Amino acid sequence: MSSIIKVNTVQDTDGNNIINENANTITIGASGDTISIPSGATLANNGTATGFASIDWQSSIVTAATLTAVAGRGYWIDTSSNACTITLPGSASVGDQIIFTDYARNWGTNAVTLNTNSLKFQGNTSPNPIYNTNGQSVNIVYSGTTKGWIPNSDDDVTLETPQFYSASFLVIAGGGSGAHDQGGGGGAGGYRSSFNSESSGGGGSAETALSFTPGTVYTVTVGAGGAQTTGPASSQGNDGVASSISGSDITDISSAGGGGGGGSSTQTGNNGGSGGGGNGGGAGNAGGSGTANQGFAGGASYISPGNSGEDSGGGGGAGQAGNNPVVSGGDGVASTITGSSVTRGGGGGGNDYGNNNSRAGGAGGGGQGGTTTPGSASSAGTANTGGGGGAGSGNSPQEGGAGGSGVVILRVPTSSYSGTTSGSPTVTTDGSDTIMVFNASGSYTG
C-alpha cells in the first residue's frame, strides 16, 4: 500500500520536522531504500549538493584490447600487454561524462584509441583520437551535436582530431652543368611526382601524396642549377642542388641534384638525380648513375661512324638515359599537375666532335651541347625545369652550359587552401584545386 504526502515545503521548525529532524538534518527514507524521481521531473539544486556520485568507477581493471564504454562510468585502462581501442556510445546526451585513466602508466608504449562511433569529438568525426602519454587521465563530456565529445581534461590538452588534407607534389632538383672542353652533358635534376598516377623520374611510379595539417608550416627549398664551367680545360661539370619539401609531421620529400658532366680529369660523369654524360676525350667513358625513381644515367662517350674524334655523352634525363639518340640529352617527363601538360627534367646534350650528330638537349629544358669542329657554344638548361646544361666544345667557346634551376609544385583542395605562403609562389586554380608553383624557396602554412 502506498501513500502520498502533498506539501509545498519540507523543513525543520522548532525541532518538529515532519519527516525526521536531527541536528538540522532532514533525512528522506531509510538505509537501503530507493528514492525515485519520476520521469519528466526535474531535481533542481539552488544550494550546495554533496555526496552525489556523477561517475560510477568500475571495480574491474580493463586489460582487453577492446572496450565498449558507457556514459557515467570511470574506467581503469591497463595497456601493459596490448593497446586498447575504446568504442564510445553511439548516442549521447549533453552532460554525459566518461573518464579513462592509465592504470599502469603504459599508454606511452601501448596507446588508447577512442572509436568515436559516428559522433563528433572536438568538432570532428575523424581521425579517431589516440592517447599515448604515460599516466594520462582523460575526462570527456558530451557537449552536443556541434562539437560532440570534448575533453574536460586530458593532461596534455592536445587537439586529438587534427584535420589532414591531401597535397600532391612535383619536386625537381637543379640540373647539373655540362663539363668544359669536350666534356659530358649535365644530368637533369631528380624528379619526384605524386600527382594523378603520373610517373616519377627514372621510370618510377607515382608516389603517395602528402597529408598536410592545418597550421603546420611546410618549408619548400628550390635547388639551383650547377654553375657554368669556365675552365680549366679539365673541369668537371658542377652538380645541381637538391629541392625538397619538409615539415614537422611529414617524411621529407627530397630530389637529388643532377650530376655534372664528365671532364677530362675524371672522364666519367657525376652521379646525381640523373647522371652526367661521360667525357669525350676517349671512347667508352661512362656516364654517371641516376638515382632510383628520380632519373636515368648519363650516356657514355663513343666514336661515331665517319667521325675523327670522340663524342661526349649526353646527360641523363628524368624520362630517358643520355645519348638517345646519338649524343642528345635524355628526355624529361610530362606532368599535368598545373592543369596543362608540361615536360621537365631533360638532360644536357653532349659534345659533337665533328658536327654531324644531334647534340640537342633532352625535351624538358635540357641545354644544347657544343660542337668541336667548328667550335660552337653550349647552352644552359632552362630555368625551373631542372634541365641539365649542354657539354662544352673542344674549341672556343669551351664553357659548359649551366644547369637549370629546379621547381617545387604543390596542389591542394581549394577548400583547404590557407592562402598563407612565403617566397612568392605563382598561385592558380584548376577545377576544385589550388596550385602553388615555387620557382624559388619559400613556405606554405597548411
PDB file of all heavy atoms in Angstrom, residues 217-252:
ATOM      1  N   VAL A 217      53.653  24.579 -40.757  1.00  0.00           N
ATOM      2  CA  VAL A 217      54.447  25.243 -41.798  1.00  0.00           C
ATOM      3  C   VAL A 217      55.269  24.208 -42.556  1.00  0.00           C
ATOM      4  O   VAL A 217      55.998  23.406 -41.944  1.00  0.00           O
ATOM      5  CB  VAL A 217      55.379  26.304 -41.192  1.00  0.00           C
ATOM      6  CG1 VAL A 217      56.258  26.942 -42.278  1.00  0.00           C
ATOM      7  CG2 VAL A 217      54.572  27.380 -40.474  1.00  0.00           C
ATOM      8  N   TYR A 218      55.139  24.220 -43.868  1.00  0.00           N
ATOM      9  CA  TYR A 218      55.901  23.317 -44.732  1.00  0.00           C
ATOM     10  C   TYR A 218      56.917  24.146 -45.529  1.00  0.00           C
ATOM     11  O   TYR A 218      56.547  25.077 -46.244  1.00  0.00           O
ATOM     12  CB  TYR A 218      54.960  22.546 -45.659  1.00  0.00           C
ATOM     13  CG  TYR A 218      53.976  21.720 -44.873  1.00  0.00           C
ATOM     14  CD1 TYR A 218      52.697  22.213 -44.580  1.00  0.00           C
ATOM     15  CD2 TYR A 218      54.329  20.490 -44.347  1.00  0.00           C
ATOM     16  CE1 TYR A 218      51.817  21.487 -43.804  1.00  0.00           C
ATOM     17  CE2 TYR A 218      53.451  19.751 -43.574  1.00  0.00           C
ATOM     18  CZ  TYR A 218      52.192  20.250 -43.307  1.00  0.00           C
ATOM     19  OH  TYR A 218      51.321  19.525 -42.536  1.00  0.00           O
ATOM     20  N   THR A 219      58.170  23.801 -45.360  1.00  0.00           N
ATOM     21  CA  THR A 219      59.257  24.557 -45.981  1.00  0.00           C
ATOM     22  C   THR A 219      59.573  23.986 -47.361  1.00  0.00           C
ATOM     23  O   THR A 219      59.754  22.782 -47.518  1.00  0.00           O
ATOM     24  CB  THR A 219      60.512  24.516 -45.102  1.00  0.00           C
ATOM     25  OG1 THR A 219      60.208  25.078 -43.822  1.00  0.00           O
ATOM     26  CG2 THR A 219      61.648  25.298 -45.735  1.00  0.00           C
ATOM     27  N   VAL A 220      59.646  24.874 -48.342  1.00  0.00           N
ATOM     28  CA  VAL A 220      59.930  24.490 -49.718  1.00  0.00           C
ATOM     29  C   VAL A 220      61.316  25.020 -50.089  1.00  0.00           C
ATOM     30  O   VAL A 220      61.591  26.216 -49.954  1.00  0.00           O
ATOM     31  CB  VAL A 220      58.880  25.076 -50.691  1.00  0.00           C
ATOM     32  CG1 VAL A 220      59.292  24.859 -52.144  1.00  0.00           C
ATOM     33  CG2 VAL A 220      57.512  24.445 -50.420  1.00  0.00           C
ATOM     34  N   THR A 221      62.184  24.125 -50.542  1.00  0.00           N
ATOM     35  CA  THR A 221      63.518  24.502 -50.993  1.00  0.00           C
ATOM     36  C   THR A 221      63.646  24.180 -52.477  1.00  0.00           C
ATOM     37  O   THR A 221      63.404  23.043 -52.883  1.00  0.00           O
ATOM     38  CB  THR A 221      64.605  23.754 -50.215  1.00  0.00           C
ATOM     39  OG1 THR A 221      64.478  24.038 -48.818  1.00  0.00           O
ATOM     40  CG2 THR A 221      65.994  24.154 -50.683  1.00  0.00           C
ATOM     41  N   VAL A 222      63.984  25.185 -53.274  1.00  0.00           N
ATOM     42  CA  VAL A 222      64.178  25.011 -54.716  1.00  0.00           C
ATOM     43  C   VAL A 222      65.664  25.067 -55.012  1.00  0.00           C
ATOM     44  O   VAL A 222      66.323  26.085 -54.769  1.00  0.00           O
ATOM     45  CB  VAL A 222      63.430  26.093 -55.516  1.00  0.00           C
ATOM     46  CG1 VAL A 222      63.710  25.950 -57.012  1.00  0.00           C
ATOM     47  CG2 VAL A 222      61.924  25.987 -55.251  1.00  0.00           C
ATOM     48  N   GLY A 223      66.217  23.956 -55.527  1.00  0.00           N
ATOM     49  CA  GLY A 223      67.646  23.858 -55.764  1.00  0.00           C
ATOM     50  C   GLY A 223      68.101  24.616 -57.002  1.00  0.00           C
ATOM     51  O   GLY A 223      67.411  24.667 -58.023  1.00  0.00           O
ATOM     52  N   ALA A 224      69.287  25.196 -56.899  1.00  0.00           N
ATOM     53  CA  ALA A 224      69.886  25.897 -58.030  1.00  0.00           C
ATOM     54  C   ALA A 224      70.514  24.902 -58.999  1.00  0.00           C
ATOM     55  O   ALA A 224      70.880  23.779 -58.626  1.00  0.00           O
ATOM     56  CB  ALA A 224      70.952  26.861 -57.534  1.00  0.00           C
ATOM     57  N   GLY A 225      70.656  25.320 -60.245  1.00  0.00           N
ATOM     58  CA  GLY A 225      71.374  24.504 -61.210  1.00  0.00           C
ATOM     59  C   GLY A 225      72.871  24.613 -60.998  1.00  0.00           C
ATOM     60  O   GLY A 225      73.373  25.576 -60.400  1.00  0.00           O
ATOM     61  N   GLY A 226      73.603  23.607 -61.458  1.00  0.00           N
ATOM     62  CA  GLY A 226      75.057  23.658 -61.374  1.00  0.00           C
ATOM     63  C   GLY A 226      75.614  24.829 -62.179  1.00  0.00           C
ATOM     64  O   GLY A 226      75.141  25.124 -63.285  1.00  0.00           O
ATOM     65  N   ALA A 227      76.604  25.498 -61.626  1.00  0.00           N
ATOM     66  CA  ALA A 227      77.159  26.695 -62.263  1.00  0.00           C
ATOM     67  C   ALA A 227      77.893  26.347 -63.553  1.00  0.00           C
ATOM     68  O   ALA A 227      78.434  25.251 -63.708  1.00  0.00           O
ATOM     69  CB  ALA A 227      78.101  27.399 -61.303  1.00  0.00           C
ATOM     70  N   GLN A 228      77.921  27.300 -64.468  1.00  0.00           N
ATOM     71  CA  GLN A 228      78.633  27.139 -65.732  1.00  0.00           C
ATOM     72  C   GLN A 228      80.109  26.830 -65.461  1.00  0.00           C
ATOM     73  O   GLN A 228      80.719  27.376 -64.552  1.00  0.00           O
ATOM     74  CB  GLN A 228      78.525  28.411 -66.568  1.00  0.00           C
ATOM     75  CG  GLN A 228      79.217  28.333 -67.918  1.00  0.00           C
ATOM     76  CD  GLN A 228      79.209  29.665 -68.645  1.00  0.00           C
ATOM     77  OE1 GLN A 228      79.491  30.705 -68.050  1.00  0.00           O
ATOM     78  NE2 GLN A 228      78.858  29.641 -69.926  1.00  0.00           N
ATOM     79  N   THR A 229      80.684  25.937 -66.264  1.00  0.00           N
ATOM     80  CA  THR A 229      82.104  25.626 -66.132  1.00  0.00           C
ATOM     81  C   THR A 229      82.905  26.487 -67.103  1.00  0.00           C
ATOM     82  O   THR A 229      82.657  26.491 -68.305  1.00  0.00           O
ATOM     83  CB  THR A 229      82.375  24.139 -66.418  1.00  0.00           C
ATOM     84  OG1 THR A 229      81.828  23.799 -67.699  1.00  0.00           O
ATOM     85  CG2 THR A 229      81.731  23.255 -65.360  1.00  0.00           C
ATOM     86  N   THR A 230      83.854  27.218 -66.557  1.00  0.00           N
ATOM     87  CA  THR A 230      84.631  28.166 -67.368  1.00  0.00           C
ATOM     88  C   THR A 230      86.095  27.807 -67.466  1.00  0.00           C
ATOM     89  O   THR A 230      86.889  28.547 -68.046  1.00  0.00           O
ATOM     90  CB  THR A 230      84.501  29.570 -66.780  1.00  0.00           C
ATOM     91  OG1 THR A 230      84.953  29.561 -65.421  1.00  0.00           O
ATOM     92  CG2 THR A 230      83.060  30.049 -66.834  1.00  0.00           C
ATOM     93  N   GLY A 231      86.506  26.701 -66.926  1.00  0.00           N
ATOM     94  CA  GLY A 231      87.895  26.287 -67.015  1.00  0.00           C
ATOM     95  C   GLY A 231      88.427  25.905 -65.655  1.00  0.00           C
ATOM     96  O   GLY A 231      87.775  26.122 -64.647  1.00  0.00           O
ATOM     97  N   PRO A 232      89.602  25.267 -65.589  1.00  0.00           N
ATOM     98  CA  PRO A 232      90.447  24.916 -66.718  1.00  0.00           C
ATOM     99  C   PRO A 232      89.836  23.845 -67.617  1.00  0.00           C
ATOM    100  O   PRO A 232      88.746  23.360 -67.351  1.00  0.00           O
ATOM    101  CB  PRO A 232      91.718  24.389 -66.031  1.00  0.00           C
ATOM    102  CG  PRO A 232      91.225  23.841 -64.734  1.00  0.00           C
ATOM    103  CD  PRO A 232      90.127  24.783 -64.309  1.00  0.00           C
ATOM    104  N   ALA A 233      90.580  23.468 -68.643  1.00  0.00           N
ATOM    105  CA  ALA A 233      90.048  22.570 -69.656  1.00  0.00           C
ATOM    106  C   ALA A 233      89.599  21.233 -69.096  1.00  0.00           C
ATOM    107  O   ALA A 233      88.723  20.576 -69.651  1.00  0.00           O
ATOM    108  CB  ALA A 233      91.092  22.354 -70.752  1.00  0.00           C
ATOM    109  N   SER A 234      90.198  20.817 -67.975  1.00  0.00           N
ATOM    110  CA  SER A 234      89.870  19.505 -67.403  1.00  0.00           C
ATOM    111  C   SER A 234      88.638  19.534 -66.511  1.00  0.00           C
ATOM    112  O   SER A 234      88.242  18.519 -65.954  1.00  0.00           O
ATOM    113  CB  SER A 234      91.057  19.003 -66.584  1.00  0.00           C
ATOM    114  OG  SER A 234      91.347  19.903 -65.520  1.00  0.00           O
ATOM    115  N   SER A 235      88.018  20.710 -66.362  1.00  0.00           N
ATOM    116  CA  SER A 235      86.964  20.884 -65.359  1.00  0.00           C
ATOM    117  C   SER A 235      85.782  19.944 -65.552  1.00  0.00           C
ATOM    118  O   SER A 235      85.244  19.802 -66.648  1.00  0.00           O
ATOM    119  CB  SER A 235      86.463  22.325 -65.369  1.00  0.00           C
ATOM    120  OG  SER A 235      87.466  23.211 -64.972  1.00  0.00           O
ATOM    121  N   GLN A 236      85.398  19.336 -64.441  1.00  0.00           N
ATOM    122  CA  GLN A 236      84.189  18.541 -64.374  1.00  0.00           C
ATOM    123  C   GLN A 236      82.985  19.482 -64.297  1.00  0.00           C
ATOM    124  O   GLN A 236      83.095  20.607 -63.788  1.00  0.00           O
ATOM    125  CB  GLN A 236      84.239  17.670 -63.104  1.00  0.00           C
ATOM    126  CG  GLN A 236      83.242  16.529 -63.058  1.00  0.00           C
ATOM    127  CD  GLN A 236      83.775  15.287 -63.739  1.00  0.00           C
ATOM    128  OE1 GLN A 236      84.843  15.327 -64.359  1.00  0.00           O
ATOM    129  NE2 GLN A 236      83.054  14.194 -63.653  1.00  0.00           N
ATOM    130  N   GLY A 237      81.836  19.028 -64.812  1.00  0.00           N
ATOM    131  CA  GLY A 237      80.627  19.809 -64.629  1.00  0.00           C
ATOM    132  C   GLY A 237      80.222  19.873 -63.166  1.00  0.00           C
ATOM    133  O   GLY A 237      80.574  19.006 -62.360  1.00  0.00           O
ATOM    134  N   ASN A 238      79.485  20.898 -62.809  1.00  0.00           N
ATOM    135  CA  ASN A 238      79.043  21.082 -61.417  1.00  0.00           C
ATOM    136  C   ASN A 238      77.676  20.448 -61.189  1.00  0.00           C
ATOM    137  O   ASN A 238      76.779  20.566 -62.028  1.00  0.00           O
ATOM    138  CB  ASN A 238      78.967  22.572 -61.092  1.00  0.00           C
ATOM    139  CG  ASN A 238      80.323  23.243 -61.175  1.00  0.00           C
ATOM    140  OD1 ASN A 238      81.246  22.852 -60.464  1.00  0.00           O
ATOM    141  ND2 ASN A 238      80.449  24.235 -62.048  1.00  0.00           N
ATOM    142  N   ASP A 239      77.535  19.805 -60.056  1.00  0.00           N
ATOM    143  CA  ASP A 239      76.263  19.166 -59.716  1.00  0.00           C
ATOM    144  C   ASP A 239      75.193  20.209 -59.401  1.00  0.00           C
ATOM    145  O   ASP A 239      75.487  21.288 -58.867  1.00  0.00           O
ATOM    146  CB  ASP A 239      76.425  18.254 -58.512  1.00  0.00           C
ATOM    147  CG  ASP A 239      77.343  17.072 -58.770  1.00  0.00           C
ATOM    148  OD1 ASP A 239      77.581  16.750 -59.959  1.00  0.00           O
ATOM    149  OD2 ASP A 239      77.815  16.471 -57.784  1.00  0.00           O
ATOM    150  N   GLY A 240      73.947  19.865 -59.688  1.00  0.00           N
ATOM    151  CA  GLY A 240      72.832  20.692 -59.261  1.00  0.00           C
ATOM    152  C   GLY A 240      72.557  20.514 -57.781  1.00  0.00           C
ATOM    153  O   GLY A 240      73.104  19.633 -57.117  1.00  0.00           O
ATOM    154  N   VAL A 241      71.685  21.364 -57.249  1.00  0.00           N
ATOM    155  CA  VAL A 241      71.359  21.368 -55.824  1.00  0.00           C
ATOM    156  C   VAL A 241      69.986  20.748 -55.600  1.00  0.00           C
ATOM    157  O   VAL A 241      69.060  20.943 -56.394  1.00  0.00           O
ATOM    158  CB  VAL A 241      71.391  22.810 -55.269  1.00  0.00           C
ATOM    159  CG1 VAL A 241      71.019  22.849 -53.797  1.00  0.00           C
ATOM    160  CG2 VAL A 241      72.761  23.425 -55.497  1.00  0.00           C
ATOM    161  N   ALA A 242      69.849  19.999 -54.505  1.00  0.00           N
ATOM    162  CA  ALA A 242      68.600  19.296 -54.202  1.00  0.00           C
ATOM    163  C   ALA A 242      67.437  20.264 -53.975  1.00  0.00           C
ATOM    164  O   ALA A 242      67.619  21.383 -53.491  1.00  0.00           O
ATOM    165  CB  ALA A 242      68.785  18.423 -52.971  1.00  0.00           C
ATOM    166  N   SER A 243      66.236  19.824 -54.317  1.00  0.00           N
ATOM    167  CA  SER A 243      64.987  20.521 -53.973  1.00  0.00           C
ATOM    168  C   SER A 243      64.218  19.650 -52.991  1.00  0.00           C
ATOM    169  O   SER A 243      64.341  18.415 -53.004  1.00  0.00           O
ATOM    170  CB  SER A 243      64.132  20.763 -55.220  1.00  0.00           C
ATOM    171  OG  SER A 243      64.729  21.683 -56.091  1.00  0.00           O
ATOM    172  N   SER A 244      63.397  20.281 -52.141  1.00  0.00           N
ATOM    173  CA  SER A 244      62.720  19.484 -51.116  1.00  0.00           C
ATOM    174  C   SER A 244      61.469  20.159 -50.581  1.00  0.00           C
ATOM    175  O   SER A 244      61.270  21.364 -50.741  1.00  0.00           O
ATOM    176  CB  SER A 244      63.670  19.208 -49.950  1.00  0.00           C
ATOM    177  OG  SER A 244      64.038  20.415 -49.313  1.00  0.00           O
ATOM    178  N   ILE A 245      60.630  19.349 -49.923  1.00  0.00           N
ATOM    179  CA  ILE A 245      59.512  19.798 -49.097  1.00  0.00           C
ATOM    180  C   ILE A 245      59.728  19.176 -47.729  1.00  0.00           C
ATOM    181  O   ILE A 245      59.925  17.954 -47.626  1.00  0.00           O
ATOM    182  CB  ILE A 245      58.151  19.347 -49.643  1.00  0.00           C
ATOM    183  CG1 ILE A 245      57.962  19.797 -51.091  1.00  0.00           C
ATOM    184  CG2 ILE A 245      57.008  19.872 -48.777  1.00  0.00           C
ATOM    185  CD1 ILE A 245      56.753  19.150 -51.757  1.00  0.00           C
ATOM    186  N   SER A 246      59.696  19.968 -46.676  1.00  0.00           N
ATOM    187  CA  SER A 246      59.893  19.433 -45.336  1.00  0.00           C
ATOM    188  C   SER A 246      58.866  20.015 -44.375  1.00  0.00           C
ATOM    189  O   SER A 246      58.359  21.121 -44.575  1.00  0.00           O
ATOM    190  CB  SER A 246      61.310  19.730 -44.830  1.00  0.00           C
ATOM    191  OG  SER A 246      61.543  21.125 -44.754  1.00  0.00           O
ATOM    192  N   GLY A 247      58.547  19.255 -43.336  1.00  0.00           N
ATOM    193  CA  GLY A 247      57.596  19.688 -42.322  1.00  0.00           C
ATOM    194  C   GLY A 247      57.699  18.786 -41.114  1.00  0.00           C
ATOM    195  O   GLY A 247      58.219  17.669 -41.194  1.00  0.00           O
ATOM    196  N   SER A 248      57.193  19.254 -39.998  1.00  0.00           N
ATOM    197  CA  SER A 248      57.343  18.516 -38.741  1.00  0.00           C
ATOM    198  C   SER A 248      56.535  17.236 -38.702  1.00  0.00           C
ATOM    199  O   SER A 248      56.831  16.344 -37.901  1.00  0.00           O
ATOM    200  CB  SER A 248      56.939  19.421 -37.566  1.00  0.00           C
ATOM    201  OG  SER A 248      55.577  19.823 -37.695  1.00  0.00           O
ATOM    202  N   ASP A 249      55.499  17.115 -39.541  1.00  0.00           N
ATOM    203  CA  ASP A 249      54.622  15.948 -39.462  1.00  0.00           C
ATOM    204  C   ASP A 249      54.621  15.122 -40.739  1.00  0.00           C
ATOM    205  O   ASP A 249      53.728  14.298 -40.942  1.00  0.00           O
ATOM    206  CB  ASP A 249      53.190  16.393 -39.122  1.00  0.00           C
ATOM    207  CG  ASP A 249      52.599  17.318 -40.179  1.00  0.00           C
ATOM    208  OD1 ASP A 249      53.364  17.815 -41.037  1.00  0.00           O
ATOM    209  OD2 ASP A 249      51.375  17.547 -40.145  1.00  0.00           O
ATOM    210  N   ILE A 250      55.592  15.330 -41.617  1.00  0.00           N
ATOM    211  CA  ILE A 250      55.681  14.541 -42.846  1.00  0.00           C
ATOM    212  C   ILE A 250      57.080  13.973 -42.992  1.00  0.00           C
ATOM    213  O   ILE A 250      58.030  14.453 -42.373  1.00  0.00           O
ATOM    214  CB  ILE A 250      55.354  15.375 -44.109  1.00  0.00           C
ATOM    215  CG1 ILE A 250      56.361  16.526 -44.286  1.00  0.00           C
ATOM    216  CG2 ILE A 250      53.929  15.884 -44.067  1.00  0.00           C
ATOM    217  CD1 ILE A 250      56.233  17.260 -45.605  1.00  0.00           C
ATOM    218  N   THR A 251      57.196  12.921 -43.792  1.00  0.00           N
ATOM    219  CA  THR A 251      58.506  12.456 -44.220  1.00  0.00           C
ATOM    220  C   THR A 251      58.953  13.352 -45.365  1.00  0.00           C
ATOM    221  O   THR A 251      58.256  13.473 -46.370  1.00  0.00           O
ATOM    222  CB  THR A 251      58.446  10.995 -44.698  1.00  0.00           C
ATOM    223  OG1 THR A 251      58.010  10.157 -43.619  1.00  0.00           O
ATOM    224  CG2 THR A 251      59.815  10.522 -45.171  1.00  0.00           C
ATOM    225  N   ASP A 252      60.095  14.009 -45.195  1.00  0.00           N
ATOM    226  CA  ASP A 252      60.538  14.986 -46.180  1.00  0.00           C
ATOM    227  C   ASP A 252      60.659  14.368 -47.572  1.00  0.00           C
ATOM    228  O   ASP A 252      61.074  13.219 -47.728  1.00  0.00           O
ATOM    229  CB  ASP A 252      61.886  15.583 -45.779  1.00  0.00           C
ATOM    230  CG  ASP A 252      61.800  16.397 -44.498  1.00  0.00           C
ATOM    231  OD1 ASP A 252      60.685  16.615 -44.001  1.00  0.00           O
ATOM    232  OD2 ASP A 252      62.864  16.812 -43.994  1.00  0.00           O
TER     233      ASP A 252
END
